[in-house]
Amino acid sequence: MDRLIQANGQPHYGIFPAAPGLVNYRDFDFRSPMGRKLGALAKWRRFHQFQYFGLISDELIGGCALANLSLLGVGFVYLFHPASGRMIERQFKLPLGFGSQFSQTPDQGVCELRSGGNLLRLENSAASKEKRLLVELDDGTHIEACFSEAEPAFQPMCINTQAGINGWVYAQKVAGVRCTGQVRSALGDFDLTQIGAFAHHDWSAGYMRPETHWNWACLSGQAGEQRVGLNLSCGVNESSFTENCFWLDGELLKVDTVRFDFDRDQPLQPWLINSYDGQVELRFEGRGLHKERLNVGLLASNFKQIFGQFSGVLRPTGRPEVRIDNLWGFVEDQYVKW
């Protein structure tokens, strides 16, 4: 599929075998809930896009995100050292996104944010099927990380769903891939290959509900002889299709709807995550979190990303069950008005 939006102005919907060449949102026939055609200004204001790169290992956990919220460019990065409990985190907010750029080609191009002596950069290459993260902070923190979907072959989750009466969300997810690169920081220096790091990646864009909420879970690691990745959500990307899935050695296996059971006031307490079809039965124990709050009238966000360990079982249909024993990963509790 060359373009997500068809010639008639309507999106392709469904789960796709590969990413569209271009998320051509400007060609979308955007209407008000009452059917009135909306122009270029409304298309710009309501289109939102974000990209996330996560690092997962027993020795180091990291996350970096960039978001284009039209009125605001947002970025964050953090590193967590499980052995010591120490953490480095930085947040950036750029009015109207000045100092940032975003590509609408999911498998190709650059998304980055520059603020003073700080750089957050995510670069995707269609030719090599690589996703790269570069972080340079004015405190000396330096992160270079990369994974490939080519060797061994990996099947990403590529999905587009309707969002409310007049929107849609394209999401592209990867988990359970090995990660290479280097990290230099006040927490220490790390070779990502030597510490057995895995990566998670999320590229999402579209006309999301003006007020929305979601929970999300992801894990990556080694379970016995298999590389395992997991991507589950509840509250978004669920109209007719869901993004819920896990990967065994890069093979995508679809999962039904899921339920997140947790205490919103105490997010570091255990979470229980179960799928309706019985393929997922997990318990998550939080070890730390990154959180942000924003409330400036037109924009509001109450965001918690918790990192910790999963235990439980995956039951792929017609295959032996896969035991999950203290694998590191993430969960989220997110409210947004935009």
Side-chain angles (χ1 to χ4, degrees):
M1 184 196 337
D2 291 335
R3 293 169 174 256
L4 184 67
I5 307 302
Q6 304 173 73
N8 64 0
Q10 298 304 309
H12 291 280
Y13 288 114
I15 297 174
F16 314 128
L22 176 67
V23 178
N24 54 321
Y25 73 94
R26 294 180 181 86
D27 297 327
F28 176 43
D29 182 9
F30 191 32
R31 306 283 183 112
S32 75
M34 301 305 293
R36 178 172 58 87
K37 273 186 172 289
L38 299 175
L41 181 61
K43 287 185 183 182
W44 167 80
R45 169 67 183 89
R46 285 289 311 281
F47 180 79
H48 303 310
Q49 176 180 348
F50 55 87
Q51 191 172 172
Y52 175 79
F53 193 117
L55 304 174
I56 303 173
S57 75
D58 291 338
E59 295 188 38
L60 186 70
I61 306 294
C64 179
L66 298 176
N68 169 21
L69 309 182
S70 64
L71 297 177
L72 193 67
V74 178
F76 72 76
V77 60
Y78 66 81
L79 293 169
F80 174 71
H81 187 232
S84 66
R86 296 168 61 207
M87 184 172 176
I88 296 170
E89 57 182 329
R90 296 287 291 275
Q91 303 173 16
F92 304 95
K93 295 179 172 62
L94 305 179
L96 298 177
F98 291 131
S100 66
Q101 64 169 307
F102 287 85
S103 165
Q104 277 78 57
T105 49
D107 281 342
Q108 182 68 38
V110 171
C111 296
E112 71 173 25
L113 178 152
R114 293 180 182 270
S115 178
N118 303 286
L119 170 67
L120 310 180
R121 178 184 174 94
L122 288 155
E123 182 174 0
N124 305 333
S125 171
S128 63
K129 293 191 174 181
E130 289 182 337
K131 307 286 194 296
R132 292 183 175 274
L133 168 68
L134 174 63
V135 174
E136 295 177 340
L137 300 183
D138 55 14
D139 64 2
T141 299
H142 183 88
I143 304 171
E144 290 185 58
C146 176
F147 70 86
S148 173
E149 298 171 23
E151 295 293 338
F154 184 89
Q155 182 182 1
M157 165 59 74
C158 303
I159 182 172
N160 194 48
T161 60
Q162 187 174 352
I165 184 64
N166 63 342
W168 49 268
V169 180
Y170 174 77
Q172 186 168 322
K173 305 295 183 77
V174 173
V177 290
R178 292 200 174 273
C179 187
T180 63
Q182 305 286 330
V183 174
R184 298 194 309 269
S185 73
L187 302 178
D189 297 342
F190 301 87
D191 182 299
L192 297 178
T193 300
Q194 289 182 359
I195 67 174
F198 283 77
H200 164 74
H201 190 262
D202 178 348
W203 195 105
S204 296
Y207 290 87
M208 303 163 190
R209 294 175 181 86
E211 189 170 8
T212 190
H213 165 265
W214 66 78
N215 294 124
W216 168 79
C218 170
L219 67 79
S220 292
Q222 194 77 20
E225 299 298 316
Q226 294 179 299
R227 288 178 293 109
V228 178
L230 175 86
N231 179 81
L232 304 174
S233 75
C234 180
V236 70
N237 300 344
E238 290 174 324
S239 297
S240 303
F241 316 91
T242 81
E243 66 180 65
N244 299 328
C245 64
F246 57 83
W247 292 268
L248 299 179
D249 291 329
E251 180 187 0
L252 186 153
L253 301 173
K254 194 69 183 65
V255 174
D256 204 339
T257 51
V258 292
R259 165 70 179 162
F260 289 74
D261 187 3
F262 67 102
D263 186 338
R264 181 158 287 123
D265 294 326
Q266 301 183 78
L268 291 175
Q269 292 298 307
W271 295 45
L272 300 178
I273 304 168
N274 297 279
S275 66
Y276 178 77
D277 59 14
Q279 287 193 88
V280 175
E281 186 176 323
L282 294 172
R283 177 185 175 93
F284 175 83
E285 300 272 357
R287 303 293 183 235
L289 79 160
H290 170 80
K291 61 182 179 180
E292 298 185 28
R293 282 197 176 194
L294 173 72
N295 192 353
V296 291
L298 293 175
L299 297 175
S301 173
N302 186 0
F303 171 64
K304 303 181 191 75
Q305 185 176 90
I306 302 98
F307 33 91
Q309 292 169 287
F310 289 88
S311 295
V313 63
L314 305 178
R315 300 187 181 93
T317 303
R319 306 188 191 190
E321 68 180 29
V322 179
R323 300 298 306 181
I324 303 300
D325 185 16
N326 290 322
L327 287 186
W328 285 89
F330 308 91
V331 296
E332 276 184 2
D333 185 30
Q334 167 83 310
Y335 162 78
V336 183
K337 180 177 72 172
W338 44 21

